[in-house]
PDB file of all heavy atoms in Angstrom:
ATOM      1  N   PRO A  13      90.795 154.190 149.195  1.00 42.00           N
ATOM      2  CA  PRO A  13      90.302 155.517 148.807  1.00 42.00           C
ATOM      3  C   PRO A  13      88.784 155.623 148.869  1.00 42.00           C
ATOM      4  O   PRO A  13      88.076 154.637 148.816  1.00 42.00           O
ATOM      5  CB  PRO A  13      90.769 155.638 147.364  1.00 42.00           C
ATOM      6  CG  PRO A  13      90.772 154.228 146.884  1.00 42.00           C
ATOM      7  CD  PRO A  13      91.164 153.385 148.070  1.00 42.00           C
ATOM      8  N   GLU A  34     112.535 141.382 131.485  1.00 32.00           N
ATOM      9  CA  GLU A  34     113.953 141.078 131.560  1.00 32.00           C
ATOM     10  C   GLU A  34     114.550 141.173 130.165  1.00 32.00           C
ATOM     11  O   GLU A  34     113.900 140.840 129.185  1.00 32.00           O
ATOM     12  CB  GLU A  34     114.155 139.670 132.110  1.00 32.00           C
ATOM     13  CG  GLU A  34     113.747 139.553 133.564  1.00 32.00           C
ATOM     14  CD  GLU A  34     114.060 138.183 134.121  1.00 32.00           C
ATOM     15  OE1 GLU A  34     114.988 137.537 133.609  1.00 32.00           O
ATOM     16  OE2 GLU A  34     113.381 137.782 135.052  1.00 32.00           O
ATOM     17  N   PHE A  48     105.024 136.310 113.686  1.00 97.00           N
ATOM     18  CA  PHE A  48     106.295 136.881 113.262  1.00 97.00           C
ATOM     19  C   PHE A  48     106.697 136.268 111.930  1.00 97.00           C
ATOM     20  O   PHE A  48     106.199 135.217 111.536  1.00 97.00           O
ATOM     21  CB  PHE A  48     107.390 136.661 114.316  1.00 97.00           C
ATOM     22  CG  PHE A  48     107.700 135.211 114.589  1.00 97.00           C
ATOM     23  CD1 PHE A  48     108.763 134.579 113.956  1.00 97.00           C
ATOM     24  CD2 PHE A  48     106.933 134.486 115.481  1.00 97.00           C
ATOM     25  CE1 PHE A  48     109.048 133.252 114.210  1.00 97.00           C
ATOM     26  CE2 PHE A  48     107.205 133.150 115.743  1.00 97.00           C
ATOM     27  CZ  PHE A  48     108.274 132.537 115.106  1.00 97.00           C
ATOM     28  N   LEU A  61     113.918 124.389 112.274  1.00 97.00           N
ATOM     29  CA  LEU A  61     114.600 125.245 111.308  1.00 97.00           C
ATOM     30  C   LEU A  61     115.108 126.493 111.996  1.00 97.00           C
ATOM     31  O   LEU A  61     114.763 126.769 113.145  1.00 97.00           O
ATOM     32  CB  LEU A  61     113.679 125.584 110.130  1.00 97.00           C
ATOM     33  CG  LEU A  61     112.282 126.131 110.427  1.00 97.00           C
ATOM     34  CD1 LEU A  61     112.316 127.645 110.576  1.00 97.00           C
ATOM     35  CD2 LEU A  61     111.346 125.742 109.316  1.00 97.00           C
ATOM     36  N   GLU A  64     116.951 133.651 109.512  1.00 98.00           N
ATOM     37  CA  GLU A  64     118.125 134.496 109.254  1.00 98.00           C
ATOM     38  C   GLU A  64     118.552 135.276 110.491  1.00 98.00           C
ATOM     39  O   GLU A  64     119.738 135.510 110.694  1.00 98.00           O
ATOM     40  CB  GLU A  64     117.842 135.477 108.108  1.00 98.00           C
ATOM     41  CG  GLU A  64     117.759 134.842 106.745  1.00 98.00           C
ATOM     42  CD  GLU A  64     119.101 134.437 106.166  1.00 98.00           C
ATOM     43  OE1 GLU A  64     120.139 134.897 106.663  1.00 98.00           O
ATOM     44  OE2 GLU A  64     119.083 133.645 105.214  1.00 98.00           O
ATOM     45  N   PRO A  90     107.785 108.353 113.878  1.00 97.00           N
ATOM     46  CA  PRO A  90     107.278 108.059 112.533  1.00 97.00           C
ATOM     47  C   PRO A  90     108.049 106.908 111.891  1.00 97.00           C
ATOM     48  O   PRO A  90     109.180 106.613 112.265  1.00 97.00           O
ATOM     49  CB  PRO A  90     107.511 109.363 111.775  1.00 97.00           C
ATOM     50  CG  PRO A  90     108.617 110.033 112.496  1.00 97.00           C
ATOM     51  CD  PRO A  90     108.523 109.609 113.935  1.00 97.00           C
ATOM     52  N   ARG A 121     114.093 126.902 121.814  1.00 95.00           N
ATOM     53  CA  ARG A 121     113.522 127.107 120.483  1.00 95.00           C
ATOM     54  C   ARG A 121     112.091 127.584 120.669  1.00 95.00           C
ATOM     55  O   ARG A 121     111.428 127.218 121.625  1.00 95.00           O
ATOM     56  CB  ARG A 121     113.490 125.791 119.682  1.00 95.00           C
ATOM     57  CG  ARG A 121     114.836 125.178 119.438  1.00 95.00           C
ATOM     58  CD  ARG A 121     114.687 123.806 118.850  1.00 95.00           C
ATOM     59  NE  ARG A 121     114.026 122.936 119.813  1.00 95.00           N
ATOM     60  CZ  ARG A 121     113.798 121.639 119.629  1.00 95.00           C
ATOM     61  NH1 ARG A 121     114.154 121.066 118.501  1.00 95.00           N
ATOM     62  NH2 ARG A 121     113.202 120.923 120.547  1.00 95.00           N
ATOM     63  N   CYS A 126     103.715 127.417 111.218  1.00 98.00           N
ATOM     64  CA  CYS A 126     104.206 128.305 110.172  1.00 98.00           C
ATOM     65  C   CYS A 126     103.501 128.054 108.841  1.00 98.00           C
ATOM     66  O   CYS A 126     103.085 126.928 108.559  1.00 98.00           O
ATOM     67  CB  CYS A 126     105.709 128.126 109.995  1.00 98.00           C
ATOM     68  SG  CYS A 126     106.674 128.581 111.453  1.00 98.00           S
TER      69      CYS A 126
END
Side-chain angles (χ1 to χ4, degrees):
E34 292 185 27
F48 62 97
L61 51 87
E64 289 285 344
R121 299 171 296 183
C126 297

